[in-house]
Amino acid sequence: QVQLVESGGGLVQAGGSLRVSCVASRVPLRNYHMGWFRQTPGREREFVAANSRSQSTVYSESVKGRFTISRDNAKNTVYLQMDSLKPEDTAVYYCAASTNVAYGSGLPSMYVSWGQGTQVTVSS
């Protein structure tokens, strides 16, 4: 089973940018479709973006045009570049790995491995 560790979260002002990273170990990243989700207290985990093994991408409507998911298989790392951040983007961000063809459905149940999360806080 792949192991995932996120980093790069922090505090940023509205309108700013931040890039979070997720490093995979034990199994090559190229074996998986990768996704980013986010969660705030009291709410369900929300799909943000996904990147397939062939590097096609899917985004939620709330981040489309502002966030970019990418991967570097040589570094076993997936990234989420977040631009034009808004206070409502504040959440714990999780990366996740999937072997399911429905990885782009946005359903957390399609993902088999999760990182521990990294906090992103956007101040107004």
Side-chain angles (χ1 to χ4, degrees):
Q1 193 90 323
V2 66
Q3 191 169 44
L4 304 171
V5 178
E6 302 97 333
S7 63
L11 174 64
V12 62
Q13 288 190 330
S17 297
L18 201 63
R19 188 178 78 164
V20 291
S21 303
C22 172
V23 178
S25 60
R26 296 186 178 176
V27 182
L29 190 71
R30 64 178 180 272
N31 292 0
Y32 294 91
H33 311 298
M34 296 300 296
W36 284 97
F37 290 75
R38 64 188 181 186
Q39 191 170 23
T40 54
R43 301 187 68 176
E44 293 188 356
R45 199 159 291 191
E46 175 193 14
F47 172 76
V48 175
N51 178 284
S52 74
R53 286 190 290 242
S54 61
Q55 305 216 31
S56 59
T57 57
V58 180
Y59 295 95
S60 70
E61 287 300 319
S62 63
V63 307
K64 193 175 293 184
R66 299 188 298 121
F67 289 14
T68 303
I69 187 171
S70 63
R71 66 165 73 199
D72 185 336
N73 285 335
K75 295 182 178 180
N76 247 22
T77 303
V78 62
Y79 304 98
L80 185 68
Q81 175 67 41
M82 303 181 286
D83 299 319
S84 301
L85 281 160
K86 305 175 182 180
E88 51 263 44
D89 294 318
T90 295
V92 176
Y93 282 72
Y94 298 90
C95 69
S98 174
T99 57
N100 196 300
V101 295
Y103 73 94
S105 67
L107 295 174
S109 59
M110 296 295 106
Y111 290 78
V112 295
S113 294
W114 293 82
Q116 84 290 346
T118 185
Q119 175 71 45
V120 171
T121 303
V122 184
S123 63
S124 57

